[in-house]
Amino acid sequence: MKTELNYINLSYQTHSQKEYNISLSYELFGKDLFTAPVILINHALTGNSNVSGEKGWWKQLVGENQIVDINKYTVLCFNIPGNGYDHFLIENYEDFTPSDIANIFLKGLEALHIKNLYAIIGGSLGGGIAWEMLAKQPKLAEIFIPIACDYRTHDWLHAQCLVQKFLLNDKEEPLQKARIHAMLCYRTPESLNDRFQTQYNQEKQCLESEDWLVYHGNALNERFSLSAYKLMNHLLMNINTDETALESIEARMHMISVDTDLFFPASEIRMCFENLKKKKENISYHEIQSIHGHDAFLMEYQQLNNIIKNIL
């Protein structure tokens, strides 16, 4: 399956009153536009629009005869402007909030003449942006599936992003250091201990777990620019959907958490569900059981597929 980056050129004024010319890139998978129901997938912090196919970051979920079957749906994925996948970068990243990205995605849908979506699916940061989109346009989608995310950044996550910000402002190996710290938040103590069993790498003279962390730090440095990662961390740090607008969202909501998530704790997502359930119908809650923490939404595909196949 071959896809290519497409572009929409937009003029946009941020909430901070800054004017930008945005090159919004996106990819389409599956059926041609307007021949099938459209599913929008919002990518996570290190993700991009390449959601399906050989190198697709969610190919175990999106593809031919997968749960999100591209033989049945048109799948659309925008790149968050400034994530660098399309070589478009934003140096003054603090000009933007997740609300701005939601507005830009909505403008992208408008440019594509897409008035309604069958579903919006978003994991982590992508789910936070989806909350913002639906709060702004409550009738936009029939189904909303936020995965391992909440409608706002809570204090614990904000604190971890603050540590990331400090590390990213360091002069020596900022991306590597930030990624090593992030990996310890994406996973759990049980996950690392179970995987590495305190095994020692004689060749590299270090623990296997240390070698794994250093590898991920270097890998991120090779594929991410500093300004792009700063932007994405800033967005994750500032999800703040208008809480009063949540109950007006008309989409059927299926909230999915991970029981060991350290970034978006299941207890917070469950609390959001309980509060919304008092005010609106067509809302359900699902919980992935995993030792792997936040990253389980990119690892526990059997559980995720079993949940989503009963939704779409």
Side-chain angles (χ1 to χ4, degrees):
M1 178 181 60
K2 291 185 177 180
T3 62
E4 59 182 21
L5 280 175
N6 302 281
Y7 296 87
I8 301 169
N9 295 315
L10 302 170
S11 296
Y12 181 72
Q13 184 182 68
T14 67
H15 290 295
S16 57
Q17 306 300 304
K18 302 294 175 61
E19 296 287 343
Y20 278 86
N21 291 317
I22 301 292
S23 180
L24 177 62
S25 63
Y26 66 94
E27 290 181 63
L28 289 165
F29 303 87
K31 308 293 281 186
D32 291 338
L33 267 179
F34 312 117
T35 66
V38 179
I39 295 178
L40 174 68
I41 294 180
N42 287 353
H43 69 77
L45 190 143
T46 57
N48 50 54
S49 61
N50 190 20
V51 73
S52 184
E54 183 181 351
K55 296 182 178 180
W57 58 268
W58 232 3
K59 63 184 178 183
Q60 291 92 338
L61 190 78
V62 184
E64 292 186 2
N65 302 316
Q66 299 285 20
I67 294 302
V68 181
D69 190 348
I70 59 174
N71 291 321
K72 293 172 54 179
Y73 303 111
T74 302
V75 175
L76 165 66
C77 188
F78 292 116
N79 281 300
I80 293 176
N83 77 337
Y85 182 66
D86 53 8
H87 307 295
F88 178 73
L89 298 172
I90 297 171
E91 294 299 327
N92 298 321
Y93 64 91
E94 291 185 339
D95 289 347
F96 288 82
T97 67
S99 180
D100 286 309
I101 304 303
N103 283 336
I104 291 168
F105 282 8
L106 290 171
K107 283 180 173 286
L109 292 176
E110 184 179 351
L112 292 172
H113 306 291
I114 299 172
K115 295 181 179 180
N116 299 102
L117 298 165
Y118 177 58
I120 299 181
I121 304 173
S124 192
L125 172 60
I129 293 168
W131 276 110
E132 294 271 13
M133 293 176 70
L134 288 166
K136 296 172 188 295
Q137 289 193 17
K139 298 181 179 181
L140 180 62
E142 291 182 37
I143 298 170
F144 176 36
I145 308 176
I147 306 170
C149 69
D150 206 351
Y151 70 94
R152 64 180 175 183
T153 302
H154 294 282
D155 296 286
W156 172 260
L157 175 55
H158 189 276
Q160 300 309 316
C161 291
L162 182 62
V163 174
Q164 289 279 290
K165 185 175 181 179
F166 291 154
L167 292 170
L168 289 167
N169 286 329
D170 198 48
K171 292 182 179 179
E172 294 185 10
E173 299 186 325
L175 276 170
Q176 291 94 323
K177 292 175 181 177
R179 185 60 171 173
I180 287 172
H181 166 257
M183 291 303 296
L184 298 177
C185 298
Y186 296 151
R187 303 295 175 90
T188 65
E190 187 180 2
S191 178
L192 260 69
N193 292 341
D194 180 73
R195 175 170 178 172
F196 295 108
Q197 304 284 323
T198 325
Q199 295 177 46
Y200 195 78
N201 187 317
Q202 293 291 342
E203 180 182 349
K204 297 184 179 179
Q205 292 291 293
C206 66
L207 287 172
E208 291 285 1
S209 55
E210 180 181 340
D211 182 52
W212 179 78
L213 288 167
V214 170
Y215 166 80
H216 278 282
N218 291 334
L220 187 84
N221 186 57
E222 291 173 2
R223 70 182 182 89
F224 243 95
S225 71
L226 184 58
S227 64
Y229 198 77
K230 283 183 174 182
L231 166 71
M232 302 302 281
N233 181 65
H234 171 74
L235 294 175
L236 184 61
M237 193 176 188
N238 289 284
I239 302 167
N240 190 27
T241 310
D242 179 7
E243 188 172 3
T244 63
L246 300 185
E247 61 187 276
S248 67
I249 296 173
E250 294 189 8
R252 287 188 281 119
M253 289 188 192
H254 298 270
M255 303 166 70
I256 304 175
S257 72
V258 179
D259 65 337
T260 54
D261 196 334
L262 299 177
F263 260 15
F264 291 97
S267 58
E268 296 287 354
I269 297 173
R270 201 158 46 238
M271 186 184 304
C272 176
F273 163 72
E274 294 292 346
N275 290 336
L276 281 176
K277 191 172 68 168
K278 299 172 185 175
K279 303 171 184 176
K280 68 187 307 298
E281 298 178 350
N282 295 326
I283 180 169
S284 62
Y285 174 81
H286 313 266
E287 194 166 295
I288 293 171
Q289 310 295 313
S290 176
I291 67 169
H292 296 302
H294 184 69
D295 267 2
F297 86 94
L298 298 170
M299 300 169 71
E300 302 284 2
Y301 285 108
Q302 184 172 353
Q303 289 188 61
L304 190 57
N305 285 343
N306 286 339
I307 293 169
I308 294 179
K309 75 178 181 181
N310 294 317
I311 296 172
L312 295 179

